[in-house]
Amino acid sequence: MTRASYQIKYSYMSVLLVLLYHRVNPREKNVLNVTPETFEKQMKFLREAGYKTINTHEMLEIFHSKRAVPKSLMITFDDGWLDNWIFAFPILKKYQMKAVIFIPTGYIKDFPRRPTSEEGNIAPLPPHKECVKKVYSGRSEEVMISWQEIKEMEDSGLIDIQSHTHLHPNFEEIAQENIEDRLREELSASKREIEKRLNKKCIALAWPNGYYREGFLKIATEIGYQLLFTTEAGVNSFTDDPLRLKRVMIGDDSPFSFK
């Protein structure tokens, strides 16, 4: 096989590439965070390279039709941190790139809309460890997106909000005799809240910390989830299992590494 034909085949078969982000914060550079400058370079590259970004409903249609869409990919964010609204959303708008944000609904509050980076001076956001402490001390509204901001992002047509459970539990630490009941509560509560707040179908779930067991898949589909996202590294073909979707973790990579 020639290099050119290999590239064409690879592009065709990896149409369901899913990128996994968490934070877009100017104060950190690590595996969970990209700076706004790096994130913009990445989005600019994807736009200029001709990639088409898709949401969860478009991905589901690809699985149903068994039809490959060359150069398609999905951009995802886990956790719903405030910087997704302040820094990432303006860049996504600038380059007209769609993204999916998986939120733990129990930590999302009603809170006044805050300005984005394109609207004025922004107070520095805390580093990740401090943000986590604020969430677990009952101050999640200070570091996570609000329902008001979520609604504006959804209304843009670029952002697709989906489930990251209700309280982002560590399922590895839950006693075996309680785990199925807790799983049903978490998945049902999150789905109900998203559908009620945003008047849309919640069809996708990203597992907290990437952890799931075989039996989790049956419960999730019974509740109504049709796409399940893992943290397992790799790309997906439209012939793969939509209940075991792989993602590629993106940190503060150099432009060369990202390409």
Side-chain angles (χ1 to χ4, degrees):
M1 182 182 292
T2 66
R3 181 177 179 184
S5 63
Y6 172 80
Q7 289 176 331
I8 292 170
K9 182 176 180 181
Y10 180 80
S11 175
Y12 177 83
M13 291 305 295
S14 63
V15 296
L16 299 182
L17 173 64
V18 183
L19 307 184
L20 169 55
Y21 291 89
H22 287 82
R23 310 291 308 275
V24 182
N25 188 344
R27 296 187 67 182
E28 292 184 282
K29 292 185 178 183
N30 53 52
V31 70
L32 291 178
N33 188 82
V34 301
T35 64
E37 293 76 18
T38 297
F39 185 67
E40 178 158 10
K41 289 177 183 177
Q42 292 171 350
M43 295 304 103
K44 185 173 187 287
F45 164 74
L46 293 177
R47 172 55 63 194
E48 292 179 347
Y51 282 93
K52 170 184 169 59
T53 49
I54 61 175
N55 59 32
T56 55
H57 293 274
E58 291 166 325
M59 176 175 276
L60 192 61
E61 175 57 30
I62 290 172
F63 277 110
H64 285 164
S65 66
K66 301 297 183 185
R67 178 178 56 85
V69 181
K71 299 199 82 169
S72 286
L73 60 81
M74 178 179 284
I75 297 168
T76 68
F77 290 85
D78 281 6
D79 302 330
W81 297 108
L82 178 57
D83 54 58
N84 295 180
W85 158 257
I86 292 177
F87 295 106
F89 182 50
I91 294 169
L92 292 167
K93 281 197 300 182
K94 179 177 179 179
Y95 294 98
Q96 287 296 289
M97 307 296 276
K98 296 179 182 178
V100 182
I101 301 180
F102 294 103
I103 61 168
T105 50
Y107 299 118
I108 306 299
K109 307 298 183 184
D110 286 305
F111 198 77
R113 178 195 187 279
R114 287 153 288 195
T116 66
S117 58
E118 63 184 351
E119 296 172 333
N121 294 326
I122 303 298
L125 295 174
H128 186 68
K129 288 183 179 179
E130 188 176 335
C131 287
V132 172
K133 289 179 181 178
K134 285 180 180 289
V135 170
Y136 290 123
S137 65
R139 299 164 61 190
S140 62
E141 70 279 358
E142 297 179 19
V143 294
M144 298 185 73
I145 50 178
S146 69
W147 285 112
Q148 287 74 4
E149 292 152 352
I150 284 172
K151 181 67 164 55
E152 186 171 329
M153 288 192 287
E154 271 274 350
D155 288 347
S156 74
L158 294 175
I159 305 302
D160 177 15
I161 299 296
Q162 297 290 336
S163 173
H164 202 34
T165 70
H166 188 58
L167 293 173
H168 199 284
N170 185 343
F171 287 115
E172 290 184 276
E173 297 179 352
I174 298 173
Q176 183 63 33
E177 61 269 21
N178 300 326
I179 197 164
E180 286 197 6
D181 288 342
R182 179 66 187 278
L183 178 63
R184 289 182 188 278
E185 291 171 4
E186 286 286 333
L187 302 193
S188 297
S190 181
K191 190 174 192 298
R192 278 196 309 270
E193 188 72 3
I194 289 170
E195 292 181 346
K196 180 183 74 173
R197 291 275 190 168
L198 301 177
N199 192 30
K200 62 178 277 185
K201 283 289 185 183
C202 176
I203 63 169
L205 166 77
W207 296 110
N209 307 312
Y211 180 80
Y212 69 97
R213 300 179 189 175
E214 190 67 28
F216 287 15
L217 307 185
K218 183 174 184 293
I219 292 172
T221 54
E222 287 173 353
I223 290 169
Y225 292 98
Q226 300 176 69
L227 298 171
L228 301 177
F229 291 79
T230 72
T231 55
E232 295 162 13
V235 297
N236 308 281
S237 162
F238 64 92
T239 59
D240 288 341
D241 187 354
L243 303 182
R244 303 173 190 273
L245 292 166
K246 303 178 185 71
R247 295 189 282 176
V248 178
M249 179 86 78
I250 305 295
D252 203 67
D253 301 311
S254 70
F256 179 80
S257 297
F258 182 76
K259 293 174 186 179

